Amino acid sequence: MSQAIQASQPLGRYQLSQLDFLEAEAIFIMREVAAEFERPVLLFSGGKDSVVMLRLAEKAFWPGAIPFPVMHVDTGHNFPEVMEFRDRRVAEAGVRLVVASVQEQIDAGKVTEPTGRWASRNRLQTSALLEAIEDNGFDAAFGGARRDEEKARAKERIFSFRDEFGQWDPKNQRPELWGTFNTRIDRGEHIRVFPLSNWTELDIWGYIGRERLDLPSIYFTHRRRVFERDGILLADNPHIVRDDDEELFEATVRYRTVGDMTCTGAVRSTADGLDEIMAEIAATRITERGQTRADDRSSEAAMEDRKREGYF
């Protein structure tokens, strides 16, 4: 009797929460890269996705040190609050920071400063990134891109192969069946690795809250002098020229994404806490890049064109 009763009882099942599953997947990917590649690097801008990436790297290799440096591709037109946060967080993590400077590329005559109404250094990041990868011999680069951000990113693999020119061919991607990744590359080639591919913006904020991660202050509501251009609120800054009809005004805003000041827009918001921000995101039907990134509006395939050339 007792044996029959015992056999009929359902066995206890161990289930991971959504965030636990995503964290475990990302940590597995990071450890796989550390085991398979000689010189990985983690791209770190100080934005929310790279903050989560750095935290995952700390967990993946704890109690040891993170076994690779971090790199920021610096346009020279960044938000001061983000640069201060970047340096502080890197120091706390005890990792080496490699800075790939777009300004140095311009000064050396390797790229030309863009001009015009929508001029931005964002596209010039590709040259600085590829040169830094080659000069440092990096064979794998972690990025914080997510598939929910933009359609070109939605079709990119977690392990994204780049040829000897750093270029991406969306029609020649490697299968990733059952969590198995092909890490083979030849000399001069490298892999971009995206551990956050399956995360959403809400997942990112949920993890930030759970881990109590610090972020740059511009992610939360504040007053800022802005002007409107093609439906985007751009910050008043010395790197952009306003048209005569683009009047400055002060607004209560926050940023959903962090990038170059010349092409990253703010959103009107009074959200100053995690719960308010998550409620705000849950109610919107526009991705953070779709709502705030002017560089993605230059054409329907703007992001894919840049990625083909070697962009993140």
Side-chain angles (χ1 to χ4, degrees):
M1 176 71 73
S2 61
Q3 290 180 343
I5 292 174
Q6 184 176 7
S8 66
Q9 291 175 341
L11 297 176
R13 291 183 298 174
Y14 178 70
Q15 292 183 315
L16 294 176
S17 70
Q18 171 74 356
L19 287 181
D20 286 335
F21 175 82
L22 292 171
E23 179 189 67
E25 179 187 53
I27 286 175
F28 166 74
I29 291 166
M30 286 189 166
R31 289 172 175 168
E32 189 79 356
V33 170
E36 294 291 333
F37 293 92
E38 294 183 5
R39 297 179 65 85
V41 66
L42 188 150
L43 298 174
F44 184 78
S45 65
K48 65 182 187 305
D49 299 302
S50 60
V51 166
V52 168
M53 289 275 289
L54 190 57
R55 176 59 175 157
L56 290 167
E58 289 176 325
K59 283 194 167 187
F61 304 104
W62 180 264
I66 297 174
F68 40 76
V70 300
M71 177 165 65
H72 180 214
V73 184
D74 183 5
T75 66
H77 293 171
N78 300 290
F79 291 92
E81 303 96 322
V82 178
M83 291 298 93
E84 182 277 329
F85 174 84
R86 179 203 70 178
D87 294 340
R88 175 164 51 85
R89 184 66 184 93
V90 166
E92 290 172 355
V95 292
R96 179 169 67 92
L97 173 64
V98 177
V99 177
S101 171
V102 170
Q103 185 62 55
E104 290 180 3
Q105 294 272 306
I106 295 171
D107 294 342
K110 297 177 180 178
V111 294
T112 303
E113 181 92 55
T115 58
R117 188 168 185 266
W118 282 113
S120 168
R121 289 184 173 184
N122 245 33
R123 194 158 194 152
L124 305 186
Q125 289 178 296
T126 299
S127 175
L129 171 63
L130 294 179
E131 184 172 285
I133 287 174
E134 181 178 2
D135 290 349
N136 289 275
F138 295 134
D139 53 2
F142 291 106
R146 308 187 321 269
R147 287 174 175 151
D148 75 322
E149 288 182 283
E150 199 274 339
K151 57 188 177 183
R153 289 179 166 173
K155 63 184 179 184
E156 189 165 17
R157 301 287 193 264
I158 295 175
F159 278 60
S160 181
F161 172 75
R162 302 301 172 103
D163 64 19
E164 65 270 27
F165 303 107
Q167 297 175 329
W168 174 60
D169 181 0
K171 295 182 178 180
N172 185 28
Q173 300 191 77
R174 297 172 174 180
E176 294 179 345
L177 304 176
W178 306 293
T180 302
F181 305 108
N182 183 348
T183 61
R184 182 174 298 176
I185 56 172
D186 292 326
R187 184 181 297 275
E189 300 169 342
H190 71 277
I191 296 282
R192 305 284 175 87
V193 186
F194 303 107
L196 304 183
S197 289
N198 295 324
W199 297 52
T200 66
E201 187 181 7
L202 272 177
D203 292 328
I204 292 293
W205 279 101
Y207 193 76
I208 287 167
R210 193 183 81 172
E211 298 293 311
R212 300 184 178 182
L213 301 180
D214 195 14
L215 289 177
S217 60
I218 67 172
Y219 277 111
F220 304 92
T221 187
H222 60 282
R223 299 288 291 176
R224 186 178 292 266
R225 285 167 60 83
V226 298
F227 64 95
E228 186 169 345
R229 175 174 290 179
D230 293 352
I232 297 178
L233 295 180
L234 295 174
D236 181 31
N237 68 84
H239 310 300
I240 192 169
V241 178
R242 289 183 291 110
D243 293 340
D244 293 337
D245 61 342
E246 294 175 331
E247 296 184 2
L248 281 175
F249 59 94
E250 193 169 275
T252 301
V253 299
R254 72 175 193 88
Y255 285 84
R256 289 179 69 185
T257 182
V258 164
D260 192 296
M261 294 182 74
T262 62
C263 62
T264 303
V267 296
R268 296 180 186 272
S269 174
T270 58
D272 61 357
L274 182 70
D275 291 341
E276 292 174 286
I277 289 174
M278 292 184 70
E280 190 177 85
I281 295 169
T284 187
R285 292 297 177 263
I286 307 174
T287 67
E288 65 259 54
R289 293 196 69 94
Q291 184 178 21
T292 66
R293 294 302 289 265
D295 51 328
D296 289 349
R297 298 188 179 188
S298 58
S299 74
E300 281 294 316
M303 172 61 81
E304 182 165 328
D305 290 342
R306 296 202 304 275
K307 290 182 76 67
R308 285 175 179 267
E309 295 170 358
Y311 189 72
F312 313 128

